[in-house]
Amino acid sequence: MDDIDFRFMDFKEIVENLIVKDNSPSIPEAINRLFTDIANINRESIAEIQDAQVEEMAVNLWNWAVTKRVDLVISEEQKAKLWHVACKLVCMCGGSAASEEAIRRQILMNMKTGKGWVDVGNAVIADEFFQAAMAGLEQLHVKLMQRSSTEIHMALQKIAMERDLFKVLSYQAEATGYLHILCYNFGVETHKQNKYEESSFWLSQSYDIGKMDKNSVGPEMLAKVLRLLATAYVDWDDQEYYDKALSAINLANKEHLNPSGLFLKMKILLKSETANEELLEAVMEILHLDMSLDFCLNVAKLLMDHERESVGFYFMKIICEHFKSSENIGKALLLYIDMLLQRKEELLAKEKIEEIIIGQRTGRQLTTELVVCLHNILWKNAARSFEVQNYADALNWYYYSLRFYAADRTDINLAKLWRNMASCYLHLKQLDKAKEAVIEAEQRDPTNIFTQFYVFKIAVLEGNSGRALQAITTLEKLLIPEDPKENELLTDRDSPVMLLSIAAHFALENGQQIVAGKALEYLVQYSEDPQQVLTALKCLFCLVFPRVSQMPESENKKKEMDRLLTCLNTALQKLGQSLNGEALNSDSRANEAHWFRKIAWNLAVQCGKDLVTMREFFILSYKLSQFCPSDQVILIAQKTCLLMAAAVDLEQGRKASTAFEKTRLLNRALEQIHKCRDTWNLLKETGDFSSDPCETLLLLYEFEVKAKMNDPLLDSFLESVWELPHLESKTFETIASLAVEMPAHYPSIALKALKEALLLYKKKESIDVLKYSKCMHNLINLLVPDGVPSTELCPLEEVWGYFEDALSLISHTKGYPETEILWLMIKSWNTGIFMYGRNKYVSAEKWCGLALHFLDRLGSLKRSYETQMNILYSELVEALDRKKGLLFNEE
């Protein structure tokens, strides 16, 4: 058994599964498989299968399809496919030797299968089965003639055959109608795909089929087919097909006259560049056919669009005359006016406008819709004149429009008309007339943003800054109405923002800087274009900064500074946004950032005693500089900004009234210190900054923060500090001062720092006596506060050594401050008295004797203290002599 046999066995199995198992989910798939496979099966390929078996399978499949269709299990198309398969199988049996009964069955099945395909719209397949039925009827007729014995019997057989033949012919006629529609649909689809050659073929077929059966296909449909055929020829856009298009449309209009057919004919004539004479004949034919006014106007517009102006204007004159008694004649007049204006025939157009105005007064009024159209024409022409700066001519057209508003003074468009006229007057430098027009507009539409804009312009030109500010404030309020429906213009946000930009520019041009500043502020607030906002901010700073820099410290200056601070924050925000849908390129962003960071810096310098605001400006300058390339200049600026911000936070932290506020400010200072150190490290890589005190300041700032916050890691932090080679005495002295400044209390750190400072002073070739004396004062005051030696910090012998160092320097160096020598004398004397009070008489004599050495080094003050000190010392010695027995008990 070959491949085809195997295919039929599969086919048979599908049929049996479908009928017996009735597996609903797989029914559509099985039907499609059978419909596809039947085309590859013929009687020779299944020669081993008996006819009876094939016929039984076919009949069972047929009956199953009927049952399932009644039960709505399958569709009409699926039933047609199953009948198709069953009929094909039955027709494979018997051949030329088939019995009369078999032939009758085949005829019936072919007829019903063909009808089934007709019902689902497939006339092509249907015709195949109708042809088979006709062949079967011929075969049956031959057999009947061969065995008919009597004339009566033959007549009866003939009647039966004719009845079946009539059915087949009826079905074929029905299929012809489908073929006509099918061809038409093919023509439509291929035309949509711009396949004009294929489209013309199918439409021609549709017309030919429909023409053969005019009982089923009416003239309207035939005309419709021909119109589309003519359109396909025109769209083919080849000169040789224009004649075919014209023939097709003439035939269509002959079949059934229709306005669309006449209009298409005009298009074809224009496309084929027909002479004007022939076009005139065509348009006159349209008038004779009593086409509607609208149709005639559309033809006139078509002529003008194809630049057949002479024919178009002539036709318009005829139309206006032909339809002069029509209530819709105004529509023709408006089109005529519009055509004249488009062709610059203004004088004739104005004559027609005057005719309409007269008609309005004499009872021949235009409809409301046509009046609106006329206004649109007049305004459009005024706008054209305005665009070429012919403002006087624009006013003429607006005056025509104004005359039509005489009957309805409440129309909201009347306010718009007055605004347009005010604009023309302003351009013509006619301020008084412009003001009158604006007053008219404001009376009718005071809440319109454009009305307030013109109020603003008039006020600026009059030098009335108060009125101008009021108008710009009103304009700003209209930008954010409580009810969005209050101002429909706000649906286009660009319009009011554009007005704010123009208002600011207009105020600047006319010397109204305060008004311009207010407009710029609103522009910054409402514009969504980052570049526009940045430009507005730069203009605003140029206006405000010079004035603010000259203001004395006051509440007004504080308000202006806060205002500028807000503007700079806005600039910072916009620099991070996109520009016109695209990210700001690096050059643009850097240039803008440079400008604003310098402004922030200069404003910080202008803050004077307002440290909080100063810090904000420095921080903003730093943030703005981050949009700039990190070159040396920018790094220096960033370092300075962060350093100043940290300094302000430290100062504010010292003054804080609560522990919470103090902690917050000190932590913020520490954050700026760390950022500054990172910047400083980058900066050092760009050059020699050995003379820059930044690193020392950062060290001192961080030490102060950690000391005041009682940081447990303070000692660890200082370990690296003590090892730094470049620190100066002043730095160590500052560390010492900060270590004991409330709330910090680290006397041991202060002691070590002061020792380092003294050591550095001594290492210098030339000691700075004044600085040395001050440092020594701080060290001794730390070790001997209030005349009581602090042995916890330092042994008394070491303290004695510092006094001796001071005395030695005083003895060998000039310039030691006399007040400091006096202070050392008093400190040493008081220490001796303290020792005496503790029964340490040897130490007491030693310290008091040291005081006398300091006394000897005094200058002008020596005379004031010498007598008293000697007396006191003598008394001390006498007291010590009386207690000699106690000397050996001293430690």
Side-chain angles (χ1 to χ4, degrees):
M1 189 176 291
D2 56 18
D3 291 341
I4 296 180
D5 292 331
F6 282 118
R7 187 180 300 121
F8 182 74
M9 297 307 294
D10 293 339
F11 181 92
K12 181 179 179 183
E13 183 179 355
I14 293 171
V15 173
E16 291 174 352
N17 287 336
L18 190 65
I19 295 173
V20 177
K21 296 183 180 180
D22 198 6
N23 190 355
S24 296
S26 62
I27 286 176
E29 182 182 352
I31 292 173
N32 288 333
R33 175 73 183 278
L34 292 174
F35 183 71
T36 302
D37 288 354
I38 192 64
N40 299 315
I41 297 174
N42 53 45
R43 194 65 186 93
E44 288 74 18
S45 65
I46 54 173
E48 298 182 4
I49 310 298
Q50 295 182 1
D51 285 351
Q53 290 178 297
V54 175
E55 287 180 351
E56 181 183 5
M57 181 171 59
V59 171
N60 288 338
L61 188 61
W62 182 282
N63 292 336
W64 185 88
V66 173
T67 302
K68 293 305 177 184
R69 179 57 193 146
V70 172
D71 296 339
L72 301 180
V73 175
I74 61 175
S75 66
E76 281 291 335
E77 184 177 3
Q78 289 171 331
K79 183 190 78 172
K81 287 181 177 180
L82 290 174
W83 279 7
H84 180 112
V85 173
C87 187
K88 288 287 186 181
L89 289 173
V90 165
C91 291
M92 291 179 190
C93 302
S96 58
S99 64
E100 289 183 17
E101 181 182 356
I103 294 173
R104 290 182 188 279
R105 183 186 301 116
Q106 291 175 11
I107 293 170
L108 179 61
M109 291 178 75
N110 275 308
M111 288 169 58
K112 288 195 173 185
T113 302
K115 183 61 168 64
W117 281 119
V118 169
D119 291 341
V120 297
N122 197 325
V124 175
I125 298 179
D127 191 61
E128 174 188 344
F129 287 93
F130 292 145
Q131 294 295 337
M134 292 292 286
L137 285 171
E138 291 178 3
Q139 185 181 3
L140 180 62
H141 179 264
V142 171
K143 282 189 173 292
L144 291 175
M145 291 301 101
Q146 289 176 350
R147 71 173 182 81
S148 293
S149 55
T150 64
E151 290 185 4
I152 296 176
H153 184 263
M154 186 179 297
L156 290 174
Q157 295 296 333
K158 184 178 180 182
I159 292 171
M161 285 188 60
E162 287 178 348
R163 184 174 61 246
D164 290 340
L165 179 62
F166 179 75
K167 279 186 179 182
V168 174
L169 293 174
S170 298
Y171 291 158
Q172 281 184 317
E174 187 176 352
T176 301
Y178 277 109
L179 282 173
H180 159 72
I181 295 298
L182 185 66
C183 291
Y184 175 77
N185 289 340
F186 283 155
V188 172
E189 288 301 318
T190 50
H191 185 266
K192 288 179 181 178
Q193 298 168 11
N194 301 328
K195 299 176 179 179
Y196 304 120
E197 185 175 3
E198 293 182 34
S199 177
S200 61
F201 168 78
W202 287 112
L203 292 170
S204 298
Q205 292 295 316
S206 176
Y207 173 70
D208 290 341
I209 293 170
K211 187 172 59 175
M212 290 189 298
D213 186 11
K214 289 195 174 183
N215 293 327
S216 301
V217 183
E220 294 89 348
M221 186 61 197
L222 291 175
K224 182 178 179 181
V225 174
L226 288 167
R227 285 196 297 272
L228 185 56
L229 177 60
T231 302
Y233 283 134
V234 172
D235 292 342
W236 208 333
D237 202 19
D238 194 323
Q239 189 68 36
E240 67 176 285
Y241 294 105
Y242 290 156
D243 290 340
K244 290 186 177 182
L246 190 59
S247 298
I249 197 61
N250 285 333
L251 188 57
N253 291 337
K254 185 177 179 181
E255 286 282 356
H256 179 74
L257 188 62
N258 184 281
S260 58
L262 291 172
F263 194 78
L264 180 57
K265 179 179 179 179
M266 288 300 303
K267 289 177 68 175
I268 295 170
L269 290 173
L270 290 167
K271 193 88 171 177
S272 60
E273 300 180 357
T274 303
N276 286 344
E277 292 77 9
E278 190 173 345
L279 286 176
L280 279 172
E281 292 178 8
V283 297
M284 295 307 296
E285 178 188 0
I286 290 172
L287 283 177
H288 293 324
L289 292 172
D290 289 331
M291 291 291 109
S292 69
L293 173 61
D294 287 341
F295 179 79
C296 292
L297 294 179
N298 286 333
V299 171
K301 285 190 285 186
L302 182 66
L303 290 166
M304 301 302 286
D305 291 342
H306 284 78
E307 299 181 356
R308 298 297 186 96
E309 297 180 4
S310 60
V311 181
F313 278 128
Y314 179 75
F315 191 40
M316 280 303 306
K317 290 180 183 178
I318 296 175
I319 291 172
C320 291
E321 180 64 27
H322 185 77
F323 292 96
K324 62 183 178 181
S325 59
S326 170
E327 61 181 10
N328 293 321
I329 186 60
K331 188 183 296 186
L333 290 173
L334 290 189
L335 179 61
Y336 198 8
I337 291 169
D338 194 28
M339 287 179 175
L340 290 169
L341 290 175
Q342 288 181 23
R343 271 74 183 177
K344 308 299 182 184
E345 299 285 345
E346 294 187 358
L347 288 177
L348 187 56
K350 289 178 179 179
E351 289 180 10
K352 296 299 177 184
I353 293 171
E354 292 291 346
E355 288 181 19
I356 294 176
I357 293 173
I358 294 171
Q360 289 286 98
R361 295 173 181 171
T362 57
R364 298 188 62 184
Q365 296 183 346
L366 297 178
T367 64
T368 303
E369 181 182 356
L370 290 179
V371 170
V372 171
C373 291
L374 178 58
H375 283 306
N376 289 336
I377 292 171
L378 295 172
W379 286 27
K380 183 167 62 176
N381 212 56
R384 280 198 291 262
S385 296
F386 191 94
E387 287 174 2
V388 296
Q389 301 180 10
N390 190 349
Y391 306 114
D393 189 59
L395 275 171
N396 287 332
W397 295 111
Y398 284 132
Y399 269 120
Y400 275 124
S401 181
L402 186 61
R403 292 169 70 180
F404 283 94
Y405 277 113
D408 184 9
R409 308 289 290 182
T410 61
D411 193 324
I412 197 69
N413 283 321
L414 185 55
K416 184 176 180 181
L417 176 60
W418 282 114
R419 289 195 298 268
N420 291 344
M421 294 174 69
S423 179
C424 292
Y425 284 130
L426 286 174
H427 282 288
L428 293 171
K429 310 298 182 184
Q430 298 177 18
L431 184 58
D432 290 340
K433 290 186 177 181
K435 187 175 181 179
E436 292 174 6
V438 170
I439 291 172
E440 293 283 350
E442 194 172 17
Q443 288 176 351
R444 290 166 176 79
D445 194 10
T447 60
N448 184 279
I449 57 175
F450 295 105
T451 298
Q452 289 303 317
F453 176 69
Y454 283 110
V455 171
F456 165 82
K457 291 188 78 171
I458 297 295
V460 169
L461 290 172
E462 290 181 333
N464 189 343
S465 58
R467 183 75 174 102
L469 282 172
Q470 181 184 353
I472 204 71
T473 302
T474 303
L475 183 61
E476 183 268 340
K477 290 178 181 178
L478 292 174
L479 295 180
I480 46 173
E482 295 180 2
D483 183 2
K485 295 180 181 179
E486 289 181 10
N487 198 332
E488 295 180 359
L489 285 168
L490 293 182
T491 55
D492 180 7
R493 189 173 177 83
D494 288 340
S495 296
V497 169
M498 175 191 67
L499 288 184
L500 289 172
S501 177
I502 296 172
H505 190 265
F506 188 76
L508 285 173
E509 284 183 337
N510 290 276
Q512 295 281 346
Q513 293 189 352
I514 294 176
V515 177
K518 181 59 69 175
L520 287 169
E521 281 189 60
Y522 290 145
L523 179 60
V524 168
Q525 183 177 352
Y526 292 106
S527 176
E528 295 178 356
D529 180 355
Q531 187 60 64
Q532 187 179 49
V533 171
L534 293 174
T535 303
L537 284 171
K538 290 166 80 171
C539 293
L540 186 59
F541 279 115
C542 290
L543 287 175
V544 178
F545 184 78
R547 187 175 74 251
V548 173
S549 62
Q550 296 174 6
M551 293 174 68
E553 295 297 328
S554 62
E555 188 63 29
N556 285 337
K557 183 172 183 178
K558 177 69 168 64
K559 289 180 180 178
E560 288 295 319
M561 284 293 193
D562 289 343
R563 174 187 174 196
L564 295 176
L565 191 64
T566 301
C567 291
L568 279 172
N569 272 307
T570 302
L572 178 64
Q573 177 190 4
K574 294 302 178 182
L575 280 169
Q577 292 181 358
S578 61
L579 175 63
N580 295 330
E582 299 180 1
L584 275 168
N585 63 61
S586 57
D587 290 339
S588 297
R589 181 180 281 113
N591 291 337
E592 298 289 359
H594 268 304
W595 195 92
F596 284 106
R597 77 167 184 83
K598 291 177 182 177
I599 288 292
W601 178 285
N602 291 333
L603 286 169
V605 175
Q606 293 285 336
C607 284
K609 297 179 181 180
D610 188 356
L611 298 181
V612 175
T613 305
M614 177 191 290
R615 177 198 181 276
E616 295 303 315
F617 280 123
F618 274 126
I619 287 295
L620 272 173
S621 183
Y622 166 73
K623 290 180 178 178
L624 288 163
S625 70
Q626 290 181 304
F627 291 108
C628 305
S630 295
D631 56 21
Q632 189 179 80
V633 173
I634 292 299
L635 289 172
I636 290 173
Q638 289 178 342
K639 177 261 297 183
T640 307
C641 288
L642 291 170
L643 206 58
M644 293 298 293
V648 172
D649 283 336
L650 272 175
E651 180 63 23
Q652 295 301 110
R654 296 182 194 118
K655 299 176 182 178
S657 57
T658 65
F660 174 80
E661 185 67 8
K662 181 186 289 292
T663 301
R664 184 184 71 83
L665 290 166
L666 292 178
N667 275 324
R668 194 167 70 175
L670 191 61
E671 181 182 345
Q672 308 309 329
I673 290 166
H674 289 160
K675 286 182 181 178
C676 188
R677 182 170 283 115
D678 292 339
T679 303
W680 170 245
N681 289 333
L682 291 173
L683 179 60
K684 288 189 294 184
E685 296 176 1
T686 67
D688 181 13
F689 292 90
S690 56
S691 60
D692 194 311
C694 177
E695 191 155 358
T696 300
L697 290 172
L698 289 174
L699 185 153
L700 293 174
Y701 288 170
E702 186 166 5
F703 173 74
E704 181 176 359
V705 171
K706 290 179 178 293
K708 283 183 167 55
M709 295 180 67
N710 197 22
D711 192 330
L713 300 177
L714 182 60
D715 288 331
S716 176
F717 167 74
L718 285 173
E719 285 178 5
S720 59
V721 174
W722 306 131
E723 302 297 328
L724 293 174
H726 61 280
L727 295 183
E728 298 179 353
S729 300
K730 180 62 178 176
T731 304
F732 286 112
E733 289 181 83
T734 305
I735 291 174
S737 175
L738 294 172
V740 292
E741 183 178 277
M742 293 297 292
H745 184 67
Y746 298 95
S748 59
I749 293 175
L751 176 61
K752 186 169 184 178
L754 289 170
K755 287 180 179 180
E756 292 285 346
L758 284 174
L759 184 60
L760 289 174
Y761 281 129
K762 289 179 180 180
K763 287 181 178 180
K764 292 184 178 179
E765 294 181 4
S766 177
I767 296 179
D768 189 325
V769 177
L770 291 177
K771 292 181 178 179
Y772 178 89
S773 66
K774 183 180 178 181
C775 183
M776 181 61 77
H777 181 113
N778 291 333
L779 175 62
I780 291 175
N781 199 44
L782 179 67
L783 297 175
V784 190
D786 302 323
V788 180
S790 177
T791 55
E792 294 179 0
L793 282 176
C794 183
L796 195 57
E797 291 79 7
E798 188 176 333
V799 176
W800 172 266
Y802 293 126
F803 276 88
E804 284 192 325
D805 286 345
L807 182 60
S808 175
L809 183 64
I810 293 168
S811 301
H812 297 92
T813 307
K814 294 180 180 181
Y816 205 98
E818 191 174 13
T819 53
E820 287 298 318
I821 298 172
L822 177 61
W823 183 83
L824 288 168
M825 180 192 78
I826 295 171
K827 272 287 183 182
S828 56
W829 179 266
N830 289 342
T831 302
I833 297 303
F834 174 77
M835 293 299 178
Y836 180 83
R838 293 291 187 275
N839 299 324
K840 297 183 179 180
Y841 305 117
V842 174
S843 293
E845 183 180 9
K846 178 181 176 182
W847 280 99
C848 288
L850 180 62
L852 291 179
H853 287 297
F854 284 113
L855 176 64
D856 291 339
R857 300 301 185 272
L858 287 174
S860 60
L861 293 174
K862 182 177 181 181
R863 185 177 303 174
S864 301
Y865 290 93
E866 186 174 23
T867 303
Q868 183 183 1
M869 286 293 292
N870 286 328
I871 293 171
L872 289 172
Y873 185 72
S874 297
E875 291 175 356
L876 177 63
V877 170
E878 289 178 4
L880 289 172
D881 287 342
R882 289 193 297 268
K883 297 183 179 183
K884 286 181 179 179
L886 299 173
L887 293 175
F888 296 103
N889 295 326
E890 187 178 343
E891 294 179 3

